[in-house]
Amino acid sequence: MKRTKIFADANLVIGKVDPNLYGSFVEHLGRAVYEGIYEPGHPTADENGFRGDVASLVKELNVPIVRYPGGNFLSGYNWRDGIGPRENRPTRLDLAWFSTETNEFGTDEFMKWCHLTGIEPMMGVNMGTGSIKDAAELVEYCNHAGGTTISNLRRANGAEEPYNVRYWCIGNEMDGAWQIGHLTAEEYGRKALEAAKVMRWANGELKEESGRNWAKSPLKLIVSGSSTHEMKTFPEWDRVVLEQTYKQVDYLSMHRYYMYDEDREDPLEDFLGSADDMNEYIGTLKATIEYVRAKVRSQKRVKISFDEWNIWSVTAPRREPLWKRAPHLLEDVYTFRDMLVFAGLMNTLLNNCDTVTIGCLAQLVNVIAPIMTKKGGEAIRQTIFYPFKLLSNAARGETVRTFSDSARFSNMYGYARFINEAVNHDREKRTVCVSLCNYGQSESEVELELRSFGTLKATEYVEMKDTDLDAANTFTTPDRIVPRRRDLPRVKDGSRVILRLPAMSWSFVKFTY
Ligand code: AHR
């Protein structure tokens, strides 16, 4: 058996892990909102109709920030439809998902749900059918204390104090022909720049030339990057949009879903290559940002908001009738195989934490999500729930650079490593945790050399393995795939550990010093 050597040193830090790397996303799509986070009449629902079982699973995931209300839905959404007395709210056709939107749930309900779950809201403004005026007025509705018609509306709707929403996405996937109001890079860049300006002004941020910023809390603005690196316009879209908006924005957004496709020549290898491919994609965007930064002569470093990422394999034709309220859409049941790739994607995000400082797992409930609910019934944890939960609770602090001699396999993207890892160091808690995927078809021995952390002692060792790659958690077998504890490994000289990773497995080891 070949032994893979992985070396990490506490002094070789990639960057601090921003807690927002563990964010998620709730869109008005399918049953994400209705029957997901919100279901009045459900046995666990509170007086606002928020499902208690879902809220407690969300807390288990330790999600700090949630993006809302879309996604593709955003580009046709008028935020005014979702506020005020429910009986006056209009019912609309949602042209993004061919559903009926009743608007029972809107901005104020989302803010209440965020308050309940301790989550920071990340709002989106419509750049499809929406104007820059709509965008600025939504900022005013959320963040202006009162005394104007729009901010007084919020107060009349029950929120005396402003919400002070800090994170704002300027549109969604405007590069895609599927988007309502799709734009060219030049058109979008220009509109996004103007939207950003007036949104900041509505937030009380004074014009650049004044040299002062009076807002208590400046907005953190996210401009839409390419929807995937498979777009013909990638990465030119990102360059053009960033060149126009660089001075006004803080983040460039990235989206990417990976799929298992049996029709490919090497479906498994191609799927297992996702984590390394995601790394390449991030690398190209980092370079694009640096290029634009140099070109516009800016000191500021725009970060990446990877605000949609996940596995999304089910592309089956829609079974639900058109224009249904809360249809069953995009309800992927995640397999063990999906979990393996998912864990690798998380490793990639952690290894790029110097630039990727927001990550939104898309999505949170029912729609391509770690949590699945039954109307009036239970909520279960999908396979992907577990790596997210373990890492979001433990992989904090800093990501440390690793050096590995892992063998590689070829796939549609090029080459990928059999052993894929991330090492995190939390100086405050004096912990080090290691996340390891073995994408090989046989057991593999890994020698970890974790230098300069202190004398390490293992405190937790769990793994996820299964011989059936298609196994999944369902309402009848909700605990089919769960992490299992292993005996703690011995740490030689306080820094060297030898682990035997089962074929096709994910392992998580935590140390203290
Ligand atoms: O998350 C599902 C959809 O995927 C989002 O609405 C869209 O932004 C992306 O294409």
Side-chain angles (χ1 to χ4, degrees):
M1 187 193 312
K2 182 193 177 294
R3 182 182 279 188
T4 301
K5 286 193 183 153
I6 298 175
F7 163 83
D9 187 306
N11 299 305
L12 302 176
V13 176
I14 294 176
K16 279 207 161 67
V17 178
D18 190 312
N20 288 338
L21 196 61
Y22 297 109
S24 188
F25 174 34
V26 170
E27 174 168 6
H28 281 256
L29 192 186
R31 300 188 312 122
V33 173
Y34 308 113
E35 298 174 24
I37 61 175
Y38 173 80
E39 190 182 331
H42 185 272
T44 69
D46 66 8
E47 69 284 3
N48 292 306
F50 302 145
R51 279 183 70 147
D53 56 349
V54 172
S56 61
L57 287 179
V58 172
K59 281 184 192 156
E60 252 187 63
L61 286 174
N62 202 7
V63 169
I65 189 164
V66 168
R67 179 170 177 251
Y68 172 87
N72 297 339
F73 173 80
L74 175 67
S75 301
Y77 182 54
N78 180 352
W79 63 267
R80 292 177 192 81
D81 290 349
I83 58 165
R86 280 213 174 88
E87 60 280 13
N88 299 339
R89 297 189 194 175
T91 295
R92 305 266 190 216
L93 291 186
D94 163 19
L95 301 183
W97 300 104
F98 296 93
S99 313
T100 293
E101 175 54 56
T102 59
N103 286 303
E104 289 155 71
F105 189 102
T107 301
D108 296 305
E109 287 76 24
F110 180 62
M111 295 300 160
K112 276 192 193 141
W113 182 80
C114 285
H115 185 72
L116 169 82
T117 47
I119 280 171
E120 172 145 22
M122 175 171 168
M123 294 291 285
V125 294
N126 175 350
M127 289 286 109
T129 58
S131 65
I132 64 167
K133 178 169 180 279
D134 297 323
E137 288 183 355
L138 181 55
V139 172
E140 181 181 346
Y141 183 82
C142 291
N143 290 3
H144 192 71
T148 62
T149 305
I150 289 171
S151 55
N152 285 348
L153 249 184
R154 183 201 65 243
R155 296 167 76 183
N157 291 337
E160 187 58 33
E161 295 303 321
Y163 297 127
N164 291 324
V165 176
R166 293 190 299 161
Y167 291 88
W168 294 86
C169 301
I170 308 177
N172 175 71
E173 295 188 351
M174 297 310 299
D175 59 334
W178 60 88
Q179 202 65 216
I180 301 169
H182 161 53
L183 299 170
T184 64
E186 286 76 13
E187 289 164 346
Y188 169 67
R190 178 95 190 90
K191 185 168 178 182
L193 172 69
E194 293 307 309
K197 261 169 47 184
V198 292
M199 287 167 75
R200 289 200 185 282
W201 295 349
N203 191 49
E205 293 170 50
L206 289 200
K207 301 177 186 171
E208 217 175 87
E209 57 272 22
S210 78
R212 291 284 299 269
N213 193 336
W214 296 94
K216 264 198 240 140
S217 178
L219 302 184
K220 299 196 178 283
L221 298 181
I222 302 145
V223 75
S224 287
S226 293
S227 6
T228 122
H229 60 357
E230 282 166 358
M231 298 297 292
K232 278 209 189 99
T233 46
F234 171 80
E236 192 55 7
W237 169 279
D238 304 82
R239 178 193 69 76
V240 171
V241 167
L242 257 192
E243 273 190 34
Q244 295 187 72
T245 57
Y246 202 93
K247 291 198 172 137
Q248 279 291 347
V249 303
D250 306 285
Y251 297 84
L252 175 67
S253 87
M254 265 184 96
H255 292 177
R256 179 66 176 152
Y257 296 96
Y258 286 92
M259 75 188 299
Y260 178 65
D261 182 354
E262 274 180 348
D263 293 337
R264 286 180 184 148
E265 213 171 297
D266 300 306
L268 186 60
E269 285 76 6
D270 292 347
F271 192 42
L272 294 175
S274 303
D276 281 354
D277 177 64
M278 191 198 228
N279 195 53
E280 291 284 311
Y281 180 14
I282 295 172
T284 310
L285 271 198
K286 281 182 179 177
T288 308
I289 293 172
E290 278 307 290
Y291 172 81
V292 175
R293 189 173 87 88
K295 192 161 177 198
V296 301
R297 313 278 189 260
S298 174
Q299 299 280 317
K300 178 174 79 179
R301 279 214 152 78
V302 161
K303 302 287 185 193
I304 292 174
S305 170
F306 210 136
D307 43 44
E308 284 188 38
W309 69 271
N310 201 352
I311 315 291
W312 180 359
S313 295
V314 178
T315 48
R318 178 184 176 121
R319 286 203 202 91
E320 294 281 45
L322 287 191
W323 313 125
K324 202 175 163 214
R325 174 192 179 272
H328 288 257
L329 293 182
L330 279 55
E331 298 200 358
D332 281 38
V333 173
Y334 287 109
T335 62
F336 174 75
R337 185 196 295 108
D338 292 328
M339 185 285 302
L340 274 182
V341 170
F342 182 92
L345 298 180
M346 292 206 76
N347 288 349
T348 297
L349 291 175
L350 285 165
N351 284 318
N352 286 285
C353 71
D354 52 341
T355 310
V356 183
T357 59
I358 299 178
C360 299
L361 165 60
Q363 302 194 5
L364 187 57
V365 192
N366 288 331
V367 172
I368 39 174
I371 302 169
M372 188 71 103
T373 70
K374 238 190 203 164
K375 183 179 182 183
E378 322 80 286
I380 61 166
R381 300 168 182 84
Q382 294 232 51
T383 55
I384 60 170
F385 185 97
Y386 294 103
F388 192 95
K389 172 183 167 175
L390 278 155
L391 292 172
S392 104
N393 282 283
R396 300 277 176 166
E398 299 163 345
T399 307
V400 175
R401 196 167 299 288
T402 53
F403 298 87
S404 159
D405 66 356
S406 169
R408 301 189 305 162
F409 59 95
S410 64
N411 61 73
M412 63 186 268
Y413 304 112
Y415 287 93
R417 290 157 304 150
F418 280 109
I419 308 292
N420 171 308
E421 75 287 335
V423 176
N424 281 84
H425 180 200
D426 190 330
R427 289 177 190 268
E428 254 171 56
K429 292 198 176 136
R430 300 171 69 84
T431 58
V432 175
C433 69
V434 184
S435 160
L436 289 154
C437 300
N438 179 8
Y439 290 151
Q441 301 298 321
S442 50
E443 189 185 56
S444 189
E445 206 168 72
V446 169
E447 181 179 337
L448 290 174
E449 192 175 334
L450 305 170
R451 283 199 205 150
S452 317
F453 293 98
T455 305
L456 295 176
K457 210 176 98 194
T459 56
E460 192 179 345
Y461 183 12
V462 294
E463 79 186 5
M464 294 180 78
K465 63 168 183 182
D466 208 285
T467 46
D468 180 3
L469 293 181
D470 288 314
N473 295 339
T474 62
F475 286 99
T476 41
T477 57
D479 299 321
R480 170 72 179 78
I481 305 287
V482 293
R484 310 260 175 219
R485 290 208 172 280
R486 285 195 64 167
D487 292 341
L488 295 179
R490 214 164 59 83
V491 186
K492 273 196 219 156
D493 312 324
S495 66
R496 283 180 55 228
V497 188
I498 293 177
L499 303 171
R500 292 177 88 93
L501 307 183
M504 300 292 278
S505 64
W506 176 64
S507 305
F508 169 84
V509 200
K510 195 166 163 188
F511 304 90
T512 182
Y513 58 88

